[in-house]
Amino acid sequence: MKQGKFITLEGIDGAGKSTQLAWIVELLQDAGKPVVVTREPGGTTLGEQLRALLLNKTMIMHAETEALLMFAARREHLDKVILPALTQGQWVISDRFTDASFAYQSGGRGLDSGKLAILEHWVQGDLQPDLTLYFDVPVEVGQQRVYQSKSKDRFEKEQADFFQRVRAAYQDRAKQFPERIRIIDSSRSLADVNAAVEQTLQPLLSHE
Ligand SMILES: Nc1ncnc2c1ncn2[C@@H]1O[C@H](COP(=O)(O)OP(=O)(O)O)[C@@H](O)[C@H]1O
Ligand SMILES: Cc1cn([C@H]2C[C@H](O)[C@@H](COP(=O)(O)OP(=O)(O)O)O2)c(=O)[nH]c1=O
């Protein structure tokens, strides 16, 4: 029986997820919540090895292989990390989850979202995050932030039109699940985004 809360962070590369993750952990710890931080693809020994393959910019793979590996890593992640932590009453914060597959593999690569929905149901059953923070930025802003910060991986080396499709797919998904997915305008200053995150988390914290 799930007791903890499951929060996921989404957005195109460079949206500011990792930066906000640290702030969210601080807010939850200040509120006395036991927090587990994790990420996708990854989060387990096997998942991190799959991540290395998926992000390796010299690796060539079919788009469906890519999707299947994302969901294989997710199955392991749920089994080894997410479900045990939730059952123990911990708050799980994941830097990306299934919305990323709909955004990148369906929006970005063009896979049929119906196939992904089958994998989603297979791997997660009815489990969905309690809250998803979608950090929305224009593609140019995200790309500028990524290029300033580090060398590009297999996804980050994609062109702007790929990220336009990813962003559009995220926005569609946020419209489809407005209760769960909250849109945060991440093009603003760090202080403004921090404040928006705090405000969005408040109802979840005060219902506890
Ligand atoms: N609101 C913001 N304003 C300006 N720069 C930001 C903001 N949020 C994050 N950054 C910077 O942008 C870069 C990418 O941020 P990061 O959190 O790593 O993004 P993501 O995890 O979504 O790819 C980092 O150098 C970070 O310091
Ligand atoms: C979870 C997930 C990630 N991805 C992609 C999005 C990102 O480009 C990449 C993971 O990188 P990311 O989480 O952004 O890590 P970093 O901040 O270290 O670059 O994997 C998918 O394409 N589908 C998925 O289902």
Side-chain angles (χ1 to χ4, degrees), residues 13 41 51 70 74 96 100-101 104-105 150 155-156:
D13 295 84
R51 179 187 177 92
M70 292 290 179
R74 185 162 298 134
R96 299 190 185 280
S101 299
Y104 283 77
Q105 279 65 56
K150 58 183 165 116
F155 290 96
E156 289 164 348

Side-chain angles (χ1 to χ4, degrees), residues 11-20 95-96 142 145-146 148-150 156 186-191 193:
I12 61 169
D13 295 84
K17 293 179 311 308
S18 311
T19 307
Q20 291 304 320
D95 189 342
R96 299 190 185 280
R145 288 181 185 171
V146 168
Q148 276 171 2
S149 62
K150 58 183 165 116
E156 289 164 348
S186 196
S187 62
R188 295 172 291 175
S189 72
L190 210 47
V193 180

Side-chain angles (χ1 to χ4, degrees), residues 9-57:
L9 312 187
E10 298 286 358
I12 61 169
D13 295 84
K17 293 179 311 308
S18 311
T19 307
Q20 291 304 320
L21 182 66
W23 173 234
I24 293 168
V25 170
E26 203 178 314
L27 290 170
L28 294 180
Q29 284 178 341
D30 284 352
K33 307 298 179 196
V35 181
V36 171
V37 173
T38 188
R39 68 173 181 181
E40 289 204 350
T44 64
T45 307
L46 174 59
E48 290 295 326
Q49 293 197 25
L50 293 173
R51 179 187 177 92
L53 295 172
L54 283 158
L55 299 195
N56 181 342
K57 56 176 171 275

Side-chain angles (χ1 to χ4, degrees), residues 77-90:
H77 196 203
L78 281 160
D79 184 56
K80 302 286 190 299
V81 176
I82 299 173
L83 293 174
L86 291 175
T87 305
Q88 289 166 19
Q90 290 172 305

